[in-house]
Amino acid sequence: MDRCRKTWEVLFFCFLCWRTGCCMKVMCNGVLWVEPADTVVSMGSELTVLCRSYNKQCGRRFSISLNQQPQTPLQVLNCSTVRLRLANVSTPKSELICRVSNGSLEQTVCGMVLLSGFPPEKPTGIRCFATKDSENVSCTWNKGRQTHILTSYSVTFQHKNGAQSFHVQSQNESALCVPRSMFDGNGEYNVSVRAENDLGESASDVVPLSVADLVIPSTPKIIAVEFENSSLSAMLRWNISESLGPWKTKVRVREARGDKDPWVEKQGTEESQGLLLLKGFKPLTQYEFQIQVCFAEGKSKCSEWSPSAWHMSPGTAPHRQLDVWRIFRGIQKDGTNRVTVLWKALTPEDYKGVMLGHEIVYQEGGQERVHTCDADVTECNLRVSPGVKTLFVSAVTSAGKSPPAALHIAQTRLAAPCVRDLAPAGEDRVFLTWDMHRHPTESALFYIVQWQSHSLKMQWKKVAADHNSTHAEGLKPGVRFNVSLYAVTSVGASEPASKQIYSKEETPLSGPKVSVLTIEATRIQVQWEELDLDQQRGFITNYTIYMRNRRTRQQVTLAGSMSRRMWLVDVDAAFDLHVSASTSAGEGPLDGSNIGLSFVIAGLLVILANLICWNRRRIKRTCKTIGPQWLFEKFPRVENSTATKLLQEKERGDSDSFWQSVYNDPPITPVEIIPVERTNWYPSPRAEENTDGVMVAAMPSPVEPETDLLLAERHGYKPQITGGTLEEEVPEEEDPWLTPLHTEIGPISDEAGAPYSPQVCGLLRGWLSDLAQDRSSTGLSTMGGIHFKGTPQTLFSGESWLEERPAVQGDSSEGQTLLPDELVRCLNSPMMEYGPFPQGIVLHSTQNHH
């Protein structure tokens, strides 16, 4: 309880000292003093500081700090005393502390507050005054430089007859009040001021004072400060409690950035009593105002300066018109004209203030219409009736509007200016020159140059009437721009003079797309499309046509202005066609694809003649022959085969067996297929030549060998077929320009080498050998390259077809084969039909293994 009570007593004592301003003395463990020995020193002095500890112990470390900043170097005089030299003490109030430490323990030796300042200067400008009804007389003076230390001022009033005198004192203030009753009613006095502090003293001159001249006007008051719209002139409104007059007024102004800014007196124009016009302010600046009034007659007696009034000056309204232009968007369904009004944004030098928006004013139907647009845009869309001829555009700011700019939107039909030259002047700009506008009645006020591409926003600029050249900037290399020039007169704009230009031409990005127009007996007509504008990247100077085959290469160059059609004559061999486009920067790439086209005009005529006389059955059989295998393939039905029927008869004759289902697979003797010389079950479709000079061809299966065997096992039969021996495959020479886009199909041949197909007329037989090798002979493409292919020469050998073998029945282990009934009848018939097998098949001998 005693400890808590002492704690509360200490806290209460500290609080009491804080409220009453009393000081607590720190108990020192030594002595700290300065030389010269004083706590108040002149500012900028050099001092010597001594610190001595009562505890005499060597090995300890001393430190002296000035305003919490350690000072060095310290000079050790003995084990308990150190010395420090301080140069140029420039802080009015400083805290000086000396400490000593031993290891981790630190102890304060002593501290002191050091004051620095200046002696008082001579007081000047002594003035005493009082208002008419005031009970006190106020006296003021100029005390000069700030002393930074406590300075007392004593004002002495000495009656001129020597009978009366008195003194009034003030601390640190350059003004004081004296009761009016202390003065003689009509007496004359001599007034002087004496200033004194710890660093010196000074006295003013003696100034005479007449009690009759003490009365001055009352202090005026500023009511309002108003800046006129769009100007930097201020109207100051003020009043005063006295009705005497007329008054002479004085106004002083300074920028309200702090008390350090000096006052500047402004001469105003008296508009009326209490109304003063001031000029010459800067825009958007905060000002501080004070006013003083003086008697106009007799000895000049002026009032005190009024309390301050603050006001922000407005910005400046735009002083020039906007640069305006327009784009016609066409007549709408309701009959109105849609116009896009364009303007150039004002610069910060054009106005001071806040941009509020833009205003478009026009007369429509005898009434004034106002269309407003946002402040941050440079274009605005509006619809006006056909009778509207002129628009007036202004920028609206917080300080006012810009002068309206007239924009004539009526068509004038004036002749277009004559463009002299338009040439590139760098990668991003072009240089335009023209002849000066000449007209009998309408002279040019200025010129408008606009430039635009199909993918970029339109740009424009205004050119003075006395200029006939300018740069169009902001262009992109490889982009075509349309540059237009207008002459603007007092009645509107002329017709445009337009030209197209590239700031820098580049090579095209792609080749033209090629297509076939006409095919005749010995020639073909092709056409290539014009490149898209973004692919051209320059003016097309010429096209180059490349025709290539295995042996020859030809090219033809055509001017870019010529027709994009061409006849290719004497076409009798396979070749590729490519087209490229060129600009002044160079040739672009070739077209990127090929089109396989077999030049078989005579064959197409034969097809047309035979189709007229074919019946339905022949058409179906021919389609099966030349069509893809997967479209007409029919898997044999196992339950209807001869082998299945024989097994069913055997099962029915056995009394110990029960026939469950005719769809169960019968037992089949395993058959192993052994290739004769090679493991490739499906030879290459390329033509192979045997020892007798006969060309042999075999078609690939649509599935891989392993997949085909698996399908054979699923359907319950394994064809066992023998055939002739094939020679090694002879690869034909590959042509890098020849890109086959189809699979060649070899027709069946007889022993004489002629294509063989039962019940097909001789005229069609010759056509099938050509047609089967290129099913896509008339295929076309929308891309550029074209591949032309000649007459195929691949044939089948009659020795490579099926050998007739006798059917095996019963449980015989040799040559057992499970085949469809239709295939068995086909193999046994003297004239075989090959409808279900559109592909050529190469057979290999096999052996059975039990």
Side-chain angles (χ1 to χ4, degrees):
M1 291 295 295
D2 294 340
R3 180 175 300 177
C4 294
R5 184 175 57 189
K6 292 181 179 180
T7 302
W8 281 108
E9 288 177 354
V10 171
L11 293 176
F12 177 76
F13 178 74
C14 294
F15 175 77
L16 182 62
C17 290
W18 174 70
R19 294 293 296 177
T20 59
C22 65
C23 297
M24 292 185 293
K25 185 176 181 180
V26 178
M27 300 299 296
C28 293
N29 294 314
V31 179
L32 179 67
W33 74 94
V34 297
E35 295 178 354
D38 201 345
T39 58
V40 179
V41 298
S42 296
M43 190 167 289
S45 302
E46 182 176 346
L47 303 177
T48 299
V49 181
L50 295 174
C51 177
R52 181 171 65 86
S53 175
Y54 293 148
N55 186 6
K56 296 182 179 180
Q57 181 179 353
C58 296
R60 295 180 299 170
R61 183 173 60 86
F62 284 83
S63 65
I64 299 177
S65 62
L66 181 65
N67 294 329
Q68 300 181 357
Q69 297 296 326
Q71 303 296 311
T72 57
L74 296 181
Q75 182 181 2
V76 179
L77 300 181
N78 51 47
C79 293
S80 61
T81 307
V82 295
R83 181 169 58 190
L84 171 68
R85 294 187 179 275
L86 291 178
N88 190 19
V89 178
S90 57
T91 304
K93 185 177 182 180
S94 302
E95 185 182 64
L96 195 63
I97 299 177
C98 177
R99 295 183 178 89
V100 63
S101 60
N102 186 6
S104 60
L105 298 178
E106 186 178 63
Q107 184 181 18
T108 300
V109 177
C110 200
M112 63 180 302
V113 175
L114 189 64
L115 302 178
S116 62
F118 299 101
E121 293 183 341
K122 178 181 178 180
T124 57
I126 301 174
R127 178 172 176 260
C128 293
F129 54 88
T131 59
K132 180 179 180 181
D133 299 329
S134 175
E135 296 180 355
N136 294 319
V137 175
S138 297
C139 293
T140 60
W141 61 91
N142 297 325
K143 61 181 180 180
R145 180 177 57 180
Q146 181 73 20
T147 61
H148 298 294
I149 58 177
L150 180 62
T151 301
S152 63
Y153 296 90
S154 177
V155 182
T156 301
F157 296 90
Q158 179 69 43
H159 201 281
K160 286 187 176 181
N161 59 13
Q164 181 184 10
S165 66
F166 56 90
H167 305 276
V168 181
Q169 291 187 346
S170 171
Q171 300 291 332
N172 285 337
E173 298 295 335
S174 59
L176 51 80
C177 292
V178 180
R180 198 167 186 175
S181 59
M182 298 181 66
F183 292 92
D184 185 7
N186 296 317
E188 298 288 335
Y189 292 86
N190 292 326
V191 182
S192 62
V193 179
R194 183 180 183 85
E196 183 179 3
N197 60 23
D198 291 343
L199 299 179
E201 61 182 20
S202 63
S204 68
D205 296 333
V206 177
V207 177
L209 174 64
S210 174
V211 176
D213 297 333
L214 290 178
V215 178
I216 61 173
S218 301
T219 303
K221 181 180 179 181
I222 298 176
I223 300 175
V225 178
E226 300 174 354
F227 281 90
E228 295 181 0
N229 190 25
S230 304
S231 72
L232 295 177
S233 299
M235 187 66 70
L236 191 148
R237 299 179 182 274
W238 59 277
N239 64 4
I240 190 172
S241 59
E242 299 181 19
S243 59
L244 299 176
W247 305 101
K248 291 181 179 180
T249 58
K250 296 180 181 180
V251 178
R252 63 181 183 181
V253 181
R254 65 179 177 183
E255 295 185 18
R257 297 178 299 185
D259 295 338
K260 296 182 180 180
D261 291 335
W263 290 99
V264 177
E265 289 195 11
K266 276 188 172 294
Q267 296 295 328
T269 302
E270 293 282 352
E271 298 290 329
S272 62
Q273 181 70 35
L275 200 61
L276 186 65
L277 180 63
L278 304 173
K279 297 181 180 180
F281 295 96
K282 297 188 296 185
L284 299 178
T285 305
Q286 184 79 10
Y287 284 99
E288 182 180 0
F289 298 84
Q290 288 184 352
I291 188 172
Q292 184 183 57
V293 295
C294 303
F295 290 123
E297 297 178 355
K299 189 176 180 179
S300 177
K301 296 181 181 179
C302 298
S303 68
E304 285 280 80
W305 288 103
S306 68
S308 296
W310 290 268
H311 201 280
M312 172 74 75
S313 63
T316 56
H319 61 277
R320 69 173 182 86
Q321 294 179 339
L322 290 171
D323 293 338
V324 294
W325 188 232
R326 81 290 183 272
I327 301 176
F328 294 111
R329 301 295 186 183
I331 300 178
Q332 305 302 305
K333 294 181 179 179
D334 57 358
T336 59
N337 290 330
R338 185 185 174 197
V339 182
T340 297
V341 180
L342 311 173
W343 59 84
K344 295 292 185 180
L346 296 175
T347 63
E349 292 76 17
D350 293 329
Y351 70 100
K352 299 295 182 181
V354 180
M355 178 63 68
L356 302 180
H358 298 84
E359 189 176 79
I360 303 175
V361 181
Y362 56 94
Q363 293 288 333
E364 186 175 45
Q367 297 181 353
E368 184 179 87
R369 307 284 185 179
V370 179
H371 186 86
T372 58
C373 308
D374 294 338
D376 56 347
V377 299
T378 57
E379 63 180 49
C380 198
N381 295 316
L382 69 156
R383 295 182 179 181
V384 297
S385 63
V388 176
K389 305 299 182 181
T390 307
L391 307 176
F392 297 93
V393 187
S394 301
V396 182
T397 70
S398 58
K401 299 179 182 180
S402 66
L407 178 62
H408 299 281
I409 62 175
Q411 300 294 331
T412 62
R413 303 301 181 185
L414 294 175
C418 181
V419 175
R420 186 184 306 168
D421 188 25
L422 177 63
E427 292 190 356
D428 62 344
R429 63 178 185 167
V430 296
F431 186 66
L432 174 66
T433 59
W434 62 90
D435 294 333
M436 303 296 289
H437 175 73
R438 296 289 186 268
H439 193 271
T441 59
E442 298 296 335
S443 60
L445 301 177
F446 54 88
Y447 296 94
I448 292 292
V449 179
Q450 71 177 34
W451 58 98
Q452 185 179 17
S453 72
H454 70 287
S455 59
L456 299 177
K457 185 178 180 181
M458 189 197 79
Q459 303 177 66
W460 63 281
K461 67 186 303 184
K462 179 180 178 181
V463 184
D466 56 348
H467 287 66
N468 66 338
S469 64
T470 188
H471 282 93
E473 301 176 343
L475 284 72
K476 297 181 63 176
V479 177
R480 183 183 301 179
F481 280 82
N482 188 73
V483 181
S484 300
L485 174 67
Y486 297 82
V488 181
T489 66
S490 59
V491 296
S494 69
E495 294 292 327
S498 301
K499 283 192 175 183
Q500 293 182 336
I501 189 67
Y502 286 89
S503 61
K504 180 182 178 183
E505 293 195 40
E506 298 180 349
T507 57
L509 292 177
S510 64
K513 300 177 182 178
V514 184
S515 58
V516 176
L517 295 181
T518 309
I519 299 176
E520 296 183 359
T522 59
R523 63 176 186 167
I524 185 170
Q525 187 183 31
V526 295
Q527 174 181 279
W528 55 93
E529 299 179 5
E530 184 179 8
L531 287 176
D532 292 338
L533 197 58
D534 57 350
Q535 299 291 309
Q536 295 182 20
R537 306 206 299 175
F539 295 109
I540 302 300
T541 57
N542 59 271
Y543 295 98
T544 304
I545 297 94
Y546 295 91
M547 295 173 287
R548 305 180 184 181
N549 57 22
R550 297 183 181 180
R551 297 179 301 276
T552 62
R553 170 179 174 178
Q554 299 178 357
Q555 70 180 54
V556 178
T557 300
L558 302 177
S561 59
M562 296 181 63
S563 173
R564 295 188 301 277
R565 293 185 181 183
M566 182 179 182
W567 281 97
L568 305 177
V569 298
D570 296 332
V571 178
D572 58 356
F575 68 91
D576 292 313
L577 177 67
H578 293 269
V579 181
S580 68
S582 301
T583 65
S584 61
E587 183 179 7
L590 299 177
D591 52 304
S593 65
N594 296 328
I595 303 174
L597 180 63
S598 182
F599 194 70
V600 287
I601 306 301
L604 293 176
L605 297 177
V606 173
I607 293 175
L608 181 60
N610 282 273
L611 285 176
I612 298 175
C613 62
W614 279 3
N615 56 28
R616 180 178 180 182
R617 180 180 178 184
R618 291 176 179 177
I619 294 176
K620 180 177 182 182
R621 184 181 296 113
T622 304
C623 292
K624 289 183 178 181
T625 303
I626 66 175
Q629 178 184 5
W630 56 267
L631 185 61
F632 303 103
E633 182 176 7
K634 293 183 179 181
F635 290 100
R637 301 184 65 178
V638 179
E639 65 272 12
N640 296 331
S641 65
T642 303
T644 302
K645 293 179 178 180
L646 294 175
L647 292 175
Q648 290 175 357
E649 294 295 334
K650 181 179 178 181
E651 291 294 336
R652 291 190 183 98
D654 190 353
S655 59
D656 296 334
S657 301
F658 177 75
W659 185 260
Q660 295 180 356
S661 174
V662 296
Y663 294 99
N664 292 336
D665 290 342
I668 300 174
T669 303
V671 177
E672 181 177 1
I673 301 175
I674 302 176
V676 178
E677 295 180 0
R678 53 196 295 180
T679 58
N680 186 6
W681 292 86
Y682 300 92
S684 172
R686 298 180 181 272
E688 300 182 4
E689 184 177 359
N690 57 18
T691 57
D692 298 332
V694 180
M695 302 299 294
V696 179
M699 295 309 301
S701 175
V703 295
E704 293 297 324
E706 293 79 6
T707 307
D708 199 26
L709 292 176
L710 180 59
L711 291 174
E713 292 176 0
R714 288 182 179 177
H715 289 281
Y717 74 99
K718 299 183 179 180
Q720 184 171 342
I721 308 171
T722 61
T725 303
L726 298 176
E727 296 293 336
E728 291 296 330
E729 181 180 355
V730 180
E732 61 179 272
E733 181 182 356
E734 294 184 359
D735 184 4
W737 281 84
L738 189 58
T739 306
L741 302 178
H742 56 274
T743 303
E744 298 180 359
I745 300 178
I748 302 172
S749 306
D750 57 12
E751 294 181 356
Y756 175 78
S757 179
Q759 302 177 6
V760 178
C761 59
L763 179 61
L764 185 60
R765 181 184 304 173
W767 169 76
L768 285 176
S769 67
D770 292 343
L771 184 60
Q773 294 209 19
D774 192 353
R775 293 197 301 268
S776 60
S777 60
T778 59
L780 298 178
S781 172
T782 60
M783 296 302 290
I786 299 181
H787 171 67
F788 297 92
K789 189 171 182 62
T791 305
Q793 301 295 334
T794 304
L795 299 175
F796 264 102
S797 173
E799 299 176 357
S800 63
W801 190 236
L802 300 173
E803 296 181 1
E804 184 176 349
R805 300 177 62 90
V808 180
Q809 299 181 2
D811 296 332
S812 174
S813 62
E814 295 182 2
Q816 179 178 352
T817 305
L818 183 60
L819 299 175
D821 295 342
E822 296 179 1
L823 181 58
V824 173
R825 290 195 300 270
C826 179
L827 295 176
N828 292 333
S829 64
M831 180 178 292
M832 296 178 292
E833 295 184 4
Y834 303 100
F837 298 93
Q839 298 177 343
I841 303 176
V842 178
L843 307 177
H844 300 272
S845 61
T846 58
Q847 295 180 359
N848 296 326
H849 299 273
H850 298 282

